[in-house]
Amino acid sequence: MYLIQRGLPALVLVGAILLRIHDPVILSEMRMRIFDTFQRLSPREYVATPVRVIDIDNASLRRYGQWPWPRSLMAELIERLSQAGAKVIALDIVFAEHDRTGPKAATAGWGLTDQDPLTRSIMARVADPDEILANAIKAAPVVLGLILTNDPLAGPIPKPKKGIAVLGAGKDPRSFVTRFSGRAVSNLPLLQDVAKGQGAINVLTERDAVVRRLPMLLNAGNKLYPSLVAEALRIAQKGSTVVVKSSGAQGYQDWWQTKARTLIDIQGIGGVTIGKLAPQTDEQGQIWLYDSGRVASRTIPAWQVLSGATTDLSGAILFVGTSAPGLLDLRATPSSPVTPGVEIHAQIAEQIVTGVSLNRPYWTILPELGFLIIIGSAMIALLPRVGPLGCALIGACAMTAAIGAAWYAFTERGQLFDPIYPGLAALIVFIIGALSSYLRSDIERRAIRSAFGHYLAPEMVEQLAADPSRLRLGGEMRPVTILFCDIRDFTSIAERTSPRELTQILNRFLTPMTDAVLSHGGTIDKYIGDSIMAFWNAPLDDRSHASNACHAALDMRRRLAALNAELELEAEAQGVSFQPLRMGIGINSGACLVGNLGSQQRFNYSVIGDDVNLASRIEGLCKAYGVDILISGATLELATDLAALELGAAMVKGKLISTQVWALIGDNSLLATEVFAKIASRLSCALSELNAGRLHTALEELNQCRQLSSSPLLAPLYNHVDGSIARQQIAAGGAAPEIQPRHFSPTG
């Protein structure tokens, strides 16, 4: 039972912890969606920076023709941007093939050879667009883009313009950043050779095709390459390198980084580690996109630049790309399903320049696991004490606090913490714990119904099942009232009856007697042949246990009379003689040991003690006194609302002290009658006179009782007292002298 209540939820908690440490994809995706929700609720506030987007949008394509534009037009765009004062022009475009409008490509398409005079004339008079673009790139601070790929049919990767400086002797960052095989879609050599820099324009998406992080470093052919953003910022800083520091390097060690994972930290761009150009990256050298959404003031349409409408771009960091849907450079971000890829590069650059960014520190798993362990353990520990509702309230408060803390960390510190998985895992622990508790309660209720269903009234069984705490097993001392019931002359009945008929008689007798006990709140202890043993005030508390036991005995008397009436009619119908069933009932009250008693192999809910034995002996006295119900003085003291007549003190087997016994005649309705009060008084006087040896006076009192009532219930009492007087007369030699008082023994 303990394993079900505590072990199963604990096992679920351990499983949840191990699952979080393993961190499968499904958890990562769930966590990403939570972070997306944070960004949608509180997007990054756009602040004007030198970073701008030059957008080759639909309006620009309508004005200057379909894509790709002639290289001469692109050269004009670069020249105008440079003349406007651009600090760096980063092209989110790859010029991998020669311009189709160039003279060489055009004459070849016309079917002219290189040696044709017309070809030579055209090439002498018409400038090559690729060379025009190369000259424009050479004269301006241009960073070209390239696409790293694993496609074996792609071209080789050009040599990086500038190296990546890795500080210290820590772990090699090439082992952790996104890796490519060493192939690339790159620019024409004549363009690449004159550009100030080149950077990877790869925009990596998560499994759900949403861009949440942009790599600043990539590994291609076992060499580190900067991203377009990193290279653009390096050129803007007029720096010679991008400085990288990995975990394990001198002055950058701690247990978590060196033992668990490597952290890639771009310490600076442009050879300096100052200001806001020291971006925070994750262990794969990526920067989290803190999406501001599309902002009109960030973007300048390309047609405005080409038309001369834009004149002042002093110190601007420009990213040139396209938002035209047909050019297939649209991405999904946390805040928008459609965002131009060039704008993602620009937003990352804005974050680096302003220092407003998101990060998920490598140690975030520690507080997340800590929260899970604390709240999960609290659910397991508190559920049995405060119940499901109390635990639900505690869990709701803890979950609210965790979400609030994660929201504060996001909005105030730009840190990403996941409050949902620990909360969901704790919820599952709570549900399993609640189900286990319910299962335990259900098992207890079933066990109680099974254990007590045969000897308790159904109503009492349901009370125990509803509140098992009322049942304390294993044995306890408590006051109880015990009843023994036995069929008189059962041996002679068995001798003249077949076993089958005897079984039927027993069933017909025991069934109504059992019903009488159960209907008055009694517990059937056992059946001993033709006998019934029952008790009250266990397992449920019963303050009126003595009274209820006596009322059960009176009910048994009535039910036996009804049964005898049925048997008599059946005997007359069968033409056989009828002999009514008679019974004797003994009742006693006292402190006894109650509980599951027996052996390890088999036990029974029962009661033992000296007062149990006394109840059995009192039942045996019924035959000697000739009455059907006898109760002890201890029972009568507790059941004062019953009509009982004193029979004096009797010595029972195994007891050295005499026991006062009373004949139970009826309930409080009889007790309230004047006749009964007179009979009780006269009979008490008769017994007193008998015990004092005044036999003549005792006989007179007894005759007065007979005159008051000759009820069949009282006749055995009168006969008993009359017989006692006669025996004392005989013992005195026929006279009636004064003799020494003594207790009457019904067997004497």
Side-chain angles (χ1 to χ4, degrees):
M1 194 66 66
Y2 180 84
L3 179 62
I4 294 177
Q5 186 178 5
R6 297 287 182 87
L8 190 57
L11 188 62
V12 172
L13 177 59
V14 172
I17 295 171
L18 295 177
L19 185 66
R20 177 60 188 88
I21 294 174
H22 179 64
D23 200 21
V25 173
I26 187 172
L27 293 188
S28 177
E29 290 183 351
M30 180 184 71
R31 192 161 55 244
M32 294 297 184
R33 294 183 185 276
I34 295 166
F35 300 156
D36 291 350
T37 302
F38 283 177
Q39 293 206 52
R40 285 192 291 270
L41 293 174
S42 178
R44 179 172 61 89
E45 183 179 356
Y46 175 74
V47 177
T49 66
V51 179
R52 307 292 290 275
V53 172
I54 305 301
D55 185 12
I56 303 174
D57 58 0
N58 281 328
S60 299
L61 294 177
R62 285 194 299 268
R63 287 172 179 259
Y64 293 95
Q66 68 181 14
W67 188 263
W69 281 351
R71 300 290 162 83
S72 57
L73 185 60
M74 288 300 302
E76 181 182 353
L77 178 64
I78 292 174
E79 288 172 354
R80 288 185 176 275
L81 293 174
S82 179
Q83 292 169 2
K87 198 170 188 179
V88 63
I89 304 168
L91 301 182
D92 186 20
I93 302 169
V94 177
F95 303 102
E97 299 174 344
H98 289 283
D99 190 336
R100 290 176 295 175
T101 66
K104 186 174 183 179
T107 54
W110 298 339
L112 301 176
T113 64
D114 291 344
Q115 303 303 320
D116 191 288
L118 181 58
T119 301
R120 292 181 178 181
S121 175
I122 292 173
M123 294 184 67
R125 298 174 61 183
V126 179
D128 185 355
D130 290 332
E131 292 181 357
I132 295 174
L133 178 59
N135 291 331
I137 291 174
K138 183 177 181 181
V142 174
V143 175
L144 295 178
L146 65 116
I147 303 173
L148 302 178
T149 178
N150 294 316
D151 185 357
L153 300 180
I157 300 178
K159 183 179 179 181
K161 288 289 181 177
K162 297 294 180 178
I164 306 294
V166 180
L167 297 183
K171 294 183 179 180
D172 190 342
R174 290 177 297 181
S175 303
F176 301 94
V177 301
T178 304
R179 182 191 298 263
F180 293 92
S181 63
R183 310 300 291 177
V185 179
S186 57
N187 296 276
L188 295 172
L190 79 161
L191 304 179
Q192 174 188 309
D193 291 343
V194 296
K196 301 299 186 294
Q198 62 179 354
I201 63 175
N202 297 68
V203 176
L204 307 180
T205 63
E206 310 290 344
R207 283 170 53 94
D208 57 359
V210 176
V211 178
R212 298 185 179 90
R213 291 174 286 185
L214 192 71
M216 295 293 286
L217 297 173
L218 301 101
N219 181 352
N222 207 31
K223 292 182 180 180
L224 288 176
Y225 281 79
S227 69
L228 184 68
V229 175
E231 191 73 341
L233 294 177
R234 180 182 71 81
I235 298 301
Q237 290 282 98
K238 298 181 180 180
S240 59
T241 187
V242 175
V243 182
V244 179
K245 200 172 189 180
S246 63
S247 65
Q250 183 178 5
Y252 202 65
Q253 295 186 24
D254 61 42
W255 182 89
W256 178 264
Q257 292 168 4
T258 57
K259 299 297 183 182
R261 62 176 65 186
T262 289
L263 187 73
I264 306 302
D265 185 7
I266 298 179
Q267 290 286 295
I269 294 175
V272 294
T273 57
I274 60 174
K276 297 177 179 178
L277 300 188
Q280 293 179 320
T281 61
D282 63 11
E283 65 275 10
Q284 293 179 312
Q286 301 178 108
I287 293 182
W288 286 84
L289 173 62
Y290 195 173
D291 198 357
S292 67
R294 300 199 68 182
V295 179
S297 58
R298 176 190 292 132
T299 303
I300 302 174
W303 67 264
Q304 290 186 5
V305 178
L306 291 170
S307 65
T310 301
T311 59
D312 186 11
L313 292 174
S314 300
I317 301 172
L318 304 179
F319 289 86
V320 181
T322 179
S323 66
L327 301 186
L328 304 178
D329 191 27
L330 299 179
R331 314 285 181 167
T333 64
S335 297
S336 173
V338 178
T339 300
V342 65
E343 189 165 313
I344 295 175
H345 292 291
Q347 288 207 50
I348 294 294
E350 286 176 358
Q351 292 177 209
I352 297 174
V353 170
T354 61
V356 178
S357 61
L358 293 179
N359 71 94
R360 180 164 167 79
Y362 58 89
W363 45 262
T364 51
I365 189 175
L366 297 179
E368 291 172 1
L369 280 179
F371 174 67
L372 170 58
I373 293 171
I374 292 172
I375 189 62
S377 301
M379 293 293 105
I380 296 173
L382 296 177
L383 186 60
R385 294 184 173 90
V386 302
L389 181 59
C391 275
L393 292 175
I394 293 172
C397 293
M399 190 64 185
T400 302
I403 294 175
W407 179 254
Y408 173 82
F410 170 75
T411 56
E412 300 298 327
R413 305 180 65 86
Q415 294 177 336
L416 297 172
F417 289 89
D418 175 17
I420 302 301
Y421 176 74
L424 288 178
L427 176 62
I428 294 174
V429 171
F430 165 73
I431 292 174
I432 295 298
L435 290 176
S436 300
S437 179
Y438 174 81
L439 179 60
R440 176 184 59 82
S441 300
D442 186 63
I443 291 174
E444 287 182 349
R445 285 192 291 267
R446 290 176 181 271
I448 289 171
R449 288 191 181 99
S450 175
F452 291 93
H454 296 291
Y455 42 83
L456 274 180
E459 296 80 5
M460 298 182 68
V461 174
E462 290 304 318
Q463 291 182 43
L464 279 178
D467 185 10
S469 63
R470 301 177 67 181
L471 175 64
R472 288 177 289 178
L473 304 179
E476 61 172 335
M477 293 296 297
R478 63 187 303 164
V480 293
T481 296
I482 309 99
L483 178 149
F484 280 88
C485 173
D486 184 56
I487 298 178
R488 290 288 167 259
D489 301 323
F490 183 73
T491 302
S492 61
I493 296 174
E495 289 177 351
R496 62 176 184 269
T497 308
S498 67
R500 184 173 183 178
E501 292 175 340
L502 184 63
T503 301
Q504 293 178 349
I505 292 174
L506 273 177
N507 289 340
R508 296 185 68 178
F509 171 78
L510 294 175
T511 298
M513 300 303 108
T514 300
D515 289 342
V517 170
L518 298 180
S519 63
H520 289 84
T523 300
I524 300 295
D525 186 298
K526 60 178 67 73
Y527 299 101
I528 311 170
D530 61 316
S531 301
I532 300 174
M533 176 183 172
F535 54 88
W536 278 256
N537 201 34
L540 298 179
D541 293 335
D542 182 2
R543 294 184 178 181
S544 303
H545 55 90
S547 178
N548 287 333
C550 293
H551 281 286
L554 295 174
D555 192 12
M556 295 167 76
R557 174 190 285 164
R558 289 189 291 270
R559 292 173 185 260
L560 181 58
L563 175 60
N564 280 327
E566 293 177 8
L567 295 176
E568 184 176 7
L569 292 175
E570 293 173 5
E572 290 179 359
Q574 296 173 5
V576 297
S577 60
F578 169 70
Q579 183 176 355
L581 294 177
R582 296 182 300 110
M583 68 177 178
I585 297 176
I587 302 175
N588 182 42
S589 300
C592 299
L593 180 67
V594 183
N596 274 335
L597 308 174
S599 65
Q600 292 183 352
Q601 293 80 12
R602 183 171 181 177
F603 56 84
N604 182 47
Y605 192 78
S606 185
V607 56
I608 59 174
D610 184 61
D611 285 294
V612 177
N613 299 330
L614 180 57
S616 176
R617 296 290 185 262
I618 292 175
E619 183 274 323
L621 291 178
C622 290
K623 183 184 295 184
Y625 283 103
V627 297
D628 60 345
I629 305 175
L630 284 178
I631 64 175
S632 68
T635 299
L636 187 61
E637 289 180 2
L638 299 174
T640 58
D641 60 338
L642 297 167
L645 295 176
E646 182 183 4
L647 293 181
M651 298 297 297
V652 298
K653 184 178 180 181
K655 299 285 288 184
L656 300 178
I657 303 175
S658 62
T659 301
Q660 291 290 129
V661 292
W662 301 69
L664 183 59
I665 307 301
D667 56 17
N668 58 351
S669 60
L670 178 61
L671 180 64
T673 62
E674 183 180 355
V675 173
F676 180 79
K678 291 181 178 180
I679 292 175
S681 177
R682 294 289 184 183
L683 189 60
S684 179
C685 290
L687 291 174
S688 297
E689 294 299 315
L690 175 62
N691 288 334
R694 295 185 286 272
L695 304 181
H696 181 72
T697 306
L699 186 58
E700 288 181 354
E701 295 291 343
L702 182 60
N703 290 333
Q704 290 291 328
C705 290
R706 286 193 171 99
Q707 292 177 10
L708 290 170
S709 176
S710 58
S711 169
L713 287 175
L714 300 177
L717 301 178
Y718 300 156
N719 294 336
H720 156 65
V721 178
D722 200 6
S724 298
I725 293 172
R727 284 192 293 273
Q728 288 207 22
Q729 286 177 337
I730 294 172
E738 295 286 332
I739 61 175
Q740 295 296 322
R742 69 181 182 85
H743 292 296
F744 169 72
S745 175
T747 57

